[in-house]
Amino acid sequence: MKTKLGQRLSDIFNLIDFEYSQVWDLCCDHGKLGLALLESKKTKLIHFVDQVPSIISDLDKKIQKIKELDSEQYTLNTLNAENVILKDNNSLICICGVGGDVAIKIIDSLMKNNDLNNHDILISAQYHMYDLRSFLITNNFKLKKQMLSFEGKWGYELLLIRKNEGLDIDPIGKDLIEIEDKRHLSYLNKLISHYENRSRKDEVAKKVLNLYKEIHNQ
Ligand SMILES: C[S@@+](CC[C@H](N)C(=O)[O-])C[C@H]1O[C@@H](n2cnc3c(N)ncnc32)[C@H](O)[C@@H]1O
């Protein structure tokens, strides 16, 4: 595979099986995830989506230089991901590298405009993970796979989800955190200090803080 992936994108790539007729790389930016999936033949068709026009035109120029790819293998879309209309069943929708709040807005809007029942969604979001997990639980999403990925000093929760099929999603991902692992412990402690600061003014944050603290006592 020509496209080089960092650790987080590599972990995301490895969570994806060869089972999707098409993949939506929403918020694609550099397009590395979609390109890697095409190069490795994990899917036949990638829809690259980003809301910034210059990102899509740069990606277009980059793709034109890849001789192995032909134009039937991809579409390039300058679009707010919230407005995507899905084209088929059994596609994978990747929402990676955005905040949890942005991921919520995108999924909420996709649900209104599409039937998401026969699609998987892969999320790699930062921040607002409690809000994101609560939103997914409320909307009957279930877990197919999850992992905690580390790149540099940052931890990222990766969630592969589907409507109505799979395991229950835990509101704080307590089943994901292995506190005997130093990087996991540091990830948990960062969350705890974040919610300690917020809980001075915010009752929900106080509740979330207690949930995270309980992981220490398990
Ligand atoms: C940090 S990059 C993520 C790149 C890649 N997906 C990854 O995980 O490394 C975030 C990208 O999301 C795009 N973006 C943010 N909100 C979006 C939205 N609602 N619709 C489409 N693109 C969006 C930004 O323009 C930016 O290019």
Side-chain angles (χ1 to χ4, degrees):
M1 194 167 75
K2 277 189 189 157
T3 300
K4 297 277 172 273
L5 302 176
Q7 190 58 51
R8 178 184 59 88
L9 282 174
S10 182
D11 287 338
I12 293 170
F13 176 86
N14 288 327
L15 284 178
I16 301 174
D17 290 327
F18 288 76
E19 62 182 272
Y20 303 103
S21 54
Q22 40 190 291
V23 176
W24 292 82
D25 187 0
L26 305 186
C27 309
C28 65
D29 196 357
H30 39 64
K32 282 185 183 177
L33 178 61
L35 287 172
L37 292 170
L38 280 179
E39 286 166 5
S40 62
K41 305 208 178 337
K42 279 200 175 189
T43 187
K44 290 191 180 116
L45 177 60
I46 292 275
H47 303 285
F48 293 99
V49 176
D50 203 288
Q51 63 187 0
V52 178
S54 61
I55 285 181
I56 294 298
S57 64
D58 288 351
L59 187 55
D60 192 10
K61 286 179 207 142
K62 184 165 147 187
I63 290 184
Q64 299 294 339
K65 290 185 193 146
I66 306 176
K67 293 193 184 68
E68 296 80 12
L69 292 185
D70 75 60
S71 58
E72 284 172 14
Q73 291 176 282
Y74 63 86
T75 69
L76 290 160
N77 309 274
T78 304
L79 188 65
N80 185 332
E82 293 172 31
N83 298 328
V84 160
I85 302 295
L86 300 168
K87 296 190 172 147
D88 204 356
N89 278 331
N90 190 35
S91 57
L92 173 69
I93 302 157
C94 299
I95 307 171
C96 300
V98 293
D101 50 346
V102 174
I104 292 173
K105 278 183 81 179
I106 293 174
I107 297 168
D108 193 37
S109 183
L110 289 179
M111 276 190 318
K112 288 179 182 138
N113 300 330
N114 302 274
D115 175 5
L116 289 188
N117 272 305
N118 295 311
H119 301 277
D120 286 355
I121 304 179
L122 209 173
I123 310 167
S124 153
Q126 249 193 321
Y127 314 116
H128 310 286
M129 286 310 293
Y130 175 80
D131 299 341
L132 174 61
R133 283 172 173 273
S134 304
F135 167 83
L136 296 174
I137 293 166
T138 306
N139 287 288
N140 297 321
F141 284 97
K142 302 279 176 180
L143 199 58
K144 285 185 85 173
K145 294 182 196 172
Q146 66 176 342
M147 78 171 286
L148 193 49
S149 170
F150 291 91
E151 191 167 271
K153 54 184 181 168
W154 301 109
Y156 302 88
E157 294 178 35
L158 312 184
L159 304 174
L160 180 63
I161 57 164
R162 190 175 179 90
K163 271 219 143 181
N164 305 314
E165 267 180 66
L167 302 171
D168 286 344
I169 296 175
D170 183 78
I172 53 158
K174 63 174 181 292
D175 36 357
L176 193 60
I177 296 174
E178 298 162 14
I179 51 170
E180 53 292 349
D181 181 317
K182 275 188 186 162
R183 292 177 311 170
H184 284 231
L185 183 60
S186 145
Y187 179 75
L188 174 62
N189 287 338
K190 275 184 196 148
L191 285 168
I192 288 177
S193 29
H194 169 75
Y195 281 103
E196 263 165 356
N197 289 336
R198 277 186 51 187
S199 65
R200 292 190 193 108
K201 295 185 209 145
D202 177 346
E203 281 306 309
V204 178
K206 211 177 271 177
K207 183 184 122 193
V208 182
L209 172 65
N210 287 331
L211 291 174
Y212 279 119
K213 278 184 168 172
E214 275 171 25
I215 297 182
H216 271 298
N217 307 326
Q218 279 168 7

